[in-house]
Amino acid sequence: MSGIEDPVDDLSVTPPKTWATGVPAVTHALEYALGQTSVRRTALTLLNINQAKGFDCPGCAWPEPAPGKRHRNEYCENGGKHIADEATSRRVTAGFFREHSIAELDAKSDYWLNQQGRLTEPMIKRPGATHYEPVGWDEAFGILADELRSLASPDEALFYTSGRLNNEAAFLLQLFARAYGTNNLPDCSNMCHESSGSALGETLGIGKGSVSLDDIHEADLVFVVGQNPGTNHPRMLSALEETKRNGGQVVAVNTLPEAGLMRFKHPQKARGVIGRGTEIADQFLHIRAGGDLALFQALNLLLLEAEDEAPGTVLDHAFIASDTTGFEAFAEHARKTRWEDVLEATGLTREEIEEVHRRVLAGRKVIVCWAMGLTQQKHGVPSIREIVNFLLLRGSIGRPGAGVCPVRGHSNVQGDRTMGVWERMPQEFLDALGREFSFTPPAHHGLDAVDSIRAMRDGRASFFLGVAGNFVRATPDSEVTEAALRRCRLTAQISTKLNRSHTVCGETALILPTLGRSDRDVQEGGLQFYTVEDSMSEVHASRGRLAPASPHLLSEVAIISRLARRTLGDEPAIPWEEFERDYGTIRDRISRVVPGFEEFNARVDRPGGFTLPNPVNEGVYPTPSGKAVFTRNEFTMLRAPEGHLILQTLRSHDQWNTVPYAMNDRYRGIHNARRVVLVNPADLAALGLADRDLVDLVGVWEDGRERRAPAFRVVSYPTSPGSAAAYYPETNVLVPLDSVADISNCPTSKGVVVRLEPTAAGG
Ligand SMILES: Nc1nc2c(c(=O)[nH]1)N[C@H]1C(S)=C(S)[C@@H](COP(=O)(O)OP(=O)(O)OC[C@H]3O[C@@H](n4cnc5c(=O)[nH]c(N)nc54)[C@H](O)[C@@H]3O)O[C@H]1N2
Ligand SMILES: Nc1nc2c(c(=O)[nH]1)N[C@H]1C(S)=C(S)[C@@H](COP(=O)(O)OP(=O)(O)OC[C@H]3O[C@@H](n4cnc5c(=O)[nH]c(N)nc54)[C@H](O)[C@@H]3O)O[C@H]1N2
Ligand SMILES: [Mo]
């Protein structure tokens, strides 16, 4: 398999940190930036991140405070690193590809590939070639268009995107795919918050969260479940600090005692520099992997029992009667919850859960936040449905300070979905799109990420275009996925930086280099801006400031427009050239197709942009019954066979998804190595292993095929009993393609059964 070696294996371990951010954090961002580029570019980039006239941080999707309330430096350490990584002065040129064969590049680590710098001109690998060579844009579009036109069915083509893409380009991509004839629009959401979308769509009729930043600030109680904000959403800690200042409480639920959940030192305030910072979690539940469903079932049982004891004081009967369906059936089922199951599944004590229950009773303004620790579990969808039950019981939805908060990942992952990047867009959207552009979009659903891999593996798809992501490293079962991509007739990637999706090629492969968020985008119609939507449905503009990395780059909008025009000609009649000239004309079309975007151009020009309407907060639930739905969820838990552990594959502090920035995970005390596996000391003893032993991680799955990730250092760490943790993407090889969450089809990246085998000598 490709590129498994690490540049450094010089592991040192220090005790895990018990607080997050503070001055060292900003220093780390600056260090990374200055290692990549000049002082001037560093200053230009860092000072423009998330400012009203600047660009949206390409890091996470956490929202910015209102324009007047923003800090001069409204970014975090990791946002600073992401932008420095894009603004780097290093360049990958034609000479680089002459020097390195594709096989040679494929043997390099993900870290090394990224460190080579920005891509500068379009490149092609022709059939049978060992190297990429330069190709003109025109020829590249011709090759892509010929291939698309030669397919037996449009459904043999796949159009992947990640949430790095802006709204305008996302709208054009889905328009192009549908005008061409397919709904095959797999995206990173399929591997990310798909379980949230499934659960919330079914129960509340909306695929997104319902709270704003102000709601977080004024909540009585915020749950942070299966999420590591100190690393992945650092600005969320400022919001939680505010919750606490206003008298609210925080309960953290995690299999690891993550630093950011414990204590927070604000990096941009004097208080953050000295002193102990703010304690974040009032209560920390060190839960077993996959125990969250059982936890919320127990909390729901306690609420029903408390209502029995003091009728009319606990549940919100008026809300339940007016706004929901299914309460009786749910309650009957919930009363059968057995404490012995709950205690086994969660590993918590009954006292701990009762203590949470008392906190819940203290107020109705309750918010539950969650991320990958829930969505990437086999029973992620029922777990989230149970959270909705929990909030509905006390009417903690659709009211100030209350609601559901799936914390999104990529900066515009939510916007891409709003723009129609989804293999299963509702018919109303397709009808509106068809009306606007006078064609009939295909009605049958397309393929998601996992099904796309199956289709390539089985020869049902042979054309793959990836936009703004790294499909081959983001997806599970690396060996299977790599073989699937290599079977394609053509693979093409619209990217800013080199990654493994460029080295795992189809017969023909193309690299189409593009502008990044921080780059100035000038078209015939003048200086352009893009728009994005954050995790709380706020839509705003993003304007790049830097000189583009190379004169040969085209914007994503330009690449998609030119490819579409070349492939489709004038049928259907879509003004692709006009779109490329002036992105405002795309927004005009969006305003006529996508609900909530009326007068888009006018409204997005205001500082801070605008917030999309959220029906749930107006008491409207777009479900078939028009009400919020209580669900019955069967108790279930993760069990590993004797001698095995449940492995979660997660992010270190120094990476952006598939891209490691350094070999460190500072808050967890891991330095100079990524091939480490964190295991509870009691489990280590039971397995006959010692701290720093070298082991292979061996995946165990019902298909009997061996999946092996060789040579990991064991680190004794306070993971919850029976569970282990190691970094993604090095461990994706262990996640079976068919091991997916029920209903959402999201890979179970947080629930992989493994055994640890001592690495054979010489291994
Ligand atoms: N710096 C940085 N920021 C990022 C990203 C990045 O790579 N780097 N990625 C972005 C993206 S796309 C996303 S989706 C988000 C991801 O944000 P997170 O979801 O925070 O990311 P992970 O590192 O996958 O962490 C999963 C967390 O869930 C916990 N967990 C695992 N299993 C369970 C379980 O069964 N129950 C509970 N209660 N907890 C569990 C883990 O211990 C860990 O704290 O971050 C976004 N922000
Ligand atoms: N085992 C395991 N697997 C996982 C996960 C996990 O927790 N465990 N997490 C899943 C999740 S939550 C997600 S979201 C996916 C992430 O999957 P992806 O979104 O596909 O991966 P990224 O690593 O974010 O993609 C990085 C690449 O994007 C390109 N890029 C960056 N900026 C731009 C830009 O502005 N324009 C363009 N065109 N290209 C750009 C660069 O070339 C860079 O190499 O991975 C998923 N896979
Ligand atoms: Mo994600």
Side-chain angles (χ1 to χ4, degrees):
M1 210 201 28
S2 19
I4 56 165
E5 109 283 9
D6 255 354
V8 211
D9 183 10
D10 199 10
L11 169 66
S12 78
V13 181
T14 52
K17 290 265 186 299
T18 52
W19 53 270
T21 68
V23 162
V26 175
T27 317
H28 282 279
L30 277 173
E31 254 170 39
Y32 191 73
L34 295 171
Q36 296 290 328
T37 186
S38 65
V39 175
R40 195 185 116 76
R41 271 173 84 91
T42 297
L44 253 179
T45 50
L46 295 186
L47 291 179
N48 278 301
I49 298 185
N50 290 341
Q51 296 303 318
K53 289 277 171 198
F55 53 84
D56 186 60
C57 178
C60 72
W62 190 258
E64 289 84 46
K69 295 190 198 155
R70 277 180 211 177
H71 197 277
R72 182 74 185 103
N73 295 327
E74 187 59 40
Y75 62 92
C76 69
E77 169 194 4
N78 278 343
K81 283 191 281 190
H82 305 322
I83 202 67
D85 195 65
E86 179 176 294
T88 180
S89 304
R90 303 179 193 172
R91 298 288 177 268
V92 173
T93 60
F96 170 90
F97 287 108
R98 237 187 345 267
E99 203 176 304
H100 302 283
S101 71
I102 295 170
E104 205 184 314
L105 294 175
D106 198 39
K108 300 290 190 189
S109 69
D110 300 296
Y111 168 83
W112 188 93
L113 293 173
N114 177 61
Q115 287 295 319
Q116 303 315 301
R118 288 285 297 272
L119 297 162
T120 52
E121 60 179 299
M123 305 295 298
I124 187 168
K125 177 199 95 79
R126 299 187 194 271
T130 55
H131 289 68
Y132 275 105
E133 60 185 88
V135 63
W137 279 109
D138 216 46
E139 189 190 346
F141 292 128
I143 290 169
L144 285 159
D146 286 349
E147 187 62 35
L148 281 169
R149 280 198 303 261
S150 75
L151 297 181
S153 151
D155 287 333
E156 290 176 14
L158 304 167
F159 300 91
Y160 172 72
T161 61
S162 99
R164 203 65 178 234
L165 200 60
N166 56 70
N167 284 333
E168 288 74 6
F171 184 79
L172 292 191
L173 182 76
Q174 61 84 34
L175 173 62
F176 168 45
R178 292 185 165 119
Y180 168 68
T182 183
N183 283 309
N184 286 347
L185 289 155
D187 68 350
C188 68
S189 265
N190 296 146
M191 300 172 271
C192 184
H193 267 293
E194 198 64 66
S195 303
S196 308
S198 297
L200 296 177
E202 179 187 344
T203 56
L204 300 177
I206 49 162
K208 3 180 145 174
S210 71
V211 305
S212 69
L213 211 45
D214 287 338
D215 290 325
I216 302 259
H217 296 161
E218 66 175 276
D220 299 323
L221 181 60
V222 179
F223 283 81
V224 182
V225 190
Q227 194 202 339
N228 178 21
T231 285
N232 296 315
H233 305 92
R235 288 180 300 114
M236 179 178 179
L237 298 182
S238 319
L240 294 176
E241 195 184 33
E242 180 89 28
T243 313
K244 310 245 1 195
R245 203 171 16 251
N246 295 336
Q249 301 196 349
V250 175
V251 170
V253 186
N254 205 297
T255 50
L256 301 176
E258 306 282 28
L261 299 174
M262 301 307 167
R263 203 169 269 287
F264 172 54
K265 299 188 186 181
H266 201 300
Q268 283 143 359
K269 291 191 182 146
R271 253 182 315 114
V273 183
I274 35 171
R276 289 171 48 75
T278 309
E279 190 170 87
I280 295 289
D282 294 273
Q283 194 181 347
F284 172 63
L285 299 178
H286 199 188
I287 200 165
R288 278 181 190 256
D292 308 272
L293 171 62
L295 170 66
F296 281 94
Q297 286 182 319
L299 289 172
N300 288 340
L301 174 65
L302 289 173
L303 285 176
L304 291 170
E305 289 177 350
E307 173 72 16
D308 294 343
E309 271 169 39
T313 64
V314 176
L315 305 188
D316 187 338
H317 290 288
F319 174 82
I320 293 172
S322 64
D323 283 46
T324 73
T325 65
F327 170 73
E328 293 301 334
F330 154 77
E332 191 200 330
H333 176 78
R335 286 178 189 283
K336 295 184 191 140
T337 302
R338 297 171 351 144
W339 276 101
E340 64 259 44
D341 287 342
V342 170
L343 301 186
E344 187 193 0
T346 60
L348 303 170
T349 63
R350 185 163 173 159
E351 293 66 44
E352 281 178 287
I353 298 176
E354 283 174 347
E355 188 184 335
V356 181
H357 170 65
R358 284 193 294 276
R359 295 179 198 278
V360 173
L361 289 181
R364 287 182 194 261
K365 293 196 263 176
V366 179
I367 292 175
V368 183
C369 305
W370 69 87
M372 299 302 104
L374 281 191
T375 62
Q376 296 176 340
Q377 293 290 12
K378 174 144 172 55
H379 50 283
V381 176
S383 303
I384 298 164
R385 286 196 306 226
E386 199 62 31
I387 288 175
V388 173
N389 289 337
F390 168 71
L391 293 169
L392 291 178
L393 281 176
R394 285 173 52 82
S396 301
I397 269 191
R399 296 188 175 162
V404 285
C405 182
V407 182
R408 309 297 302 244
H410 267 296
S411 51
N412 196 40
V413 62
Q414 186 160 315
D416 287 355
R417 278 285 164 98
T418 308
M419 290 299 120
V421 171
W422 191 25
E423 74 283 354
R424 284 176 286 152
M425 279 312 274
Q427 192 58 42
E428 304 88 82
F429 179 92
L430 299 179
D431 289 343
L433 190 70
R435 261 196 314 274
E436 178 66 22
F437 295 102
S438 309
F439 75 105
T440 310
H444 62 281
H445 290 170
L447 302 175
D448 66 8
V450 165
D451 284 336
S452 291
I453 297 166
R454 292 182 177 135
M456 289 184 280
R457 177 195 64 193
D458 302 341
R460 286 178 283 118
S462 63
F463 176 100
F464 179 95
L465 174 67
V467 190
N470 184 6
F471 185 81
V472 79
R473 287 306 262 169
T475 43
D477 231 347
S478 309
E479 286 177 20
V480 175
T481 302
E482 288 181 17
L485 278 151
R486 291 189 206 280
R487 274 199 75 176
C488 285
R489 274 179 51 86
L490 191 154
T491 54
Q493 315 288 338
I494 302 179
S495 321
T496 50
K497 308 268 312 254
L498 193 61
N499 65 42
R500 181 130 356 262
S501 296
H502 306 118
T503 72
V504 177
C505 304
E507 196 180 334
T508 300
L510 285 152
I511 298 177
L512 309 170
T514 191
L515 300 174
R517 274 284 160 81
S518 53
D519 295 333
R520 207 162 40 230
D521 184 350
V522 182
Q523 302 294 340
E524 263 178 53
L527 186 64
Q528 305 295 317
F529 66 87
Y530 316 118
T531 64
V532 294
E533 175 187 342
D534 65 32
S535 200
M536 293 178 180
S537 307
E538 287 164 19
V539 180
H540 58 92
S542 174
R543 294 175 171 81
R545 295 290 185 95
L546 297 180
S550 138
H552 306 298
L553 302 184
L554 291 182
S555 73
E556 285 144 338
V557 164
I559 295 173
I560 295 164
S561 300
R562 291 187 198 187
L563 174 60
R565 199 164 143 259
R566 195 67 176 261
T567 308
L568 304 172
D570 301 329
E571 196 46 51
I574 296 174
W576 300 107
E577 284 167 305
E578 188 184 310
F579 289 161
E580 177 179 342
R581 206 160 33 236
D582 175 2
Y583 301 176
T585 64
I586 309 174
R587 286 187 287 275
D588 285 339
R589 300 307 187 110
I590 293 172
S591 69
R592 291 206 287 269
V593 173
V594 187
F597 283 82
E598 298 75 21
E599 299 184 52
F600 191 5
N601 271 310
R603 287 195 296 156
V604 82
D605 224 15
R606 297 176 201 149
F610 61 96
T611 307
L612 291 173
N614 195 316
V616 165
N617 292 336
E618 269 115 59
V620 176
Y621 306 91
T623 56
S625 63
K627 304 215 167 192
V629 181
F630 276 101
T631 52
R632 280 176 300 175
N633 301 300
E634 285 311 316
F635 168 83
T636 172
M637 61 177 282
L638 297 178
R639 277 198 181 81
E642 188 62 30
H644 292 71
L645 299 171
I646 309 271
L647 175 78
Q648 64 153 321
T649 61
L650 81 179
R651 292 153 176 79
S652 79
H653 190 65
D654 256 326
Q655 73 183 78
W656 177 261
N657 292 332
T658 65
V659 180
Y661 292 153
M663 298 297 113
N664 303 324
D665 192 4
R666 198 169 78 249
Y667 292 154
R668 299 195 186 105
I670 309 293
H671 309 277
N672 302 324
R674 284 182 53 88
R675 292 186 84 80
V676 294
V677 57
L678 314 182
V679 186
N680 181 289
D683 286 320
L684 276 187
L687 294 171
L689 291 168
D691 192 35
R692 309 304 162 85
D693 276 359
L694 196 59
V695 297
D696 289 1
L697 309 183
V698 184
V700 178
W701 174 247
E702 54 199 38
D703 62 4
R705 201 167 72 74
E706 182 178 281
R707 293 174 175 81
R708 183 177 291 264
F712 279 65
R713 288 276 166 212
V714 172
V715 173
S716 175
Y717 197 89
T719 62
S720 59
S723 70
Y727 304 126
Y728 125 84
E730 289 85 344
T731 46
N732 289 34
V733 63
L734 298 170
V735 187
L737 185 62
D738 294 331
S739 176
V740 290
D742 298 334
I743 305 169
S744 68
N745 218 28
C746 176
T748 59
S749 306
K750 298 293 187 276
V752 188
V753 178
V754 294
R755 61 171 191 272
L756 274 42
E757 277 183 12
T759 300

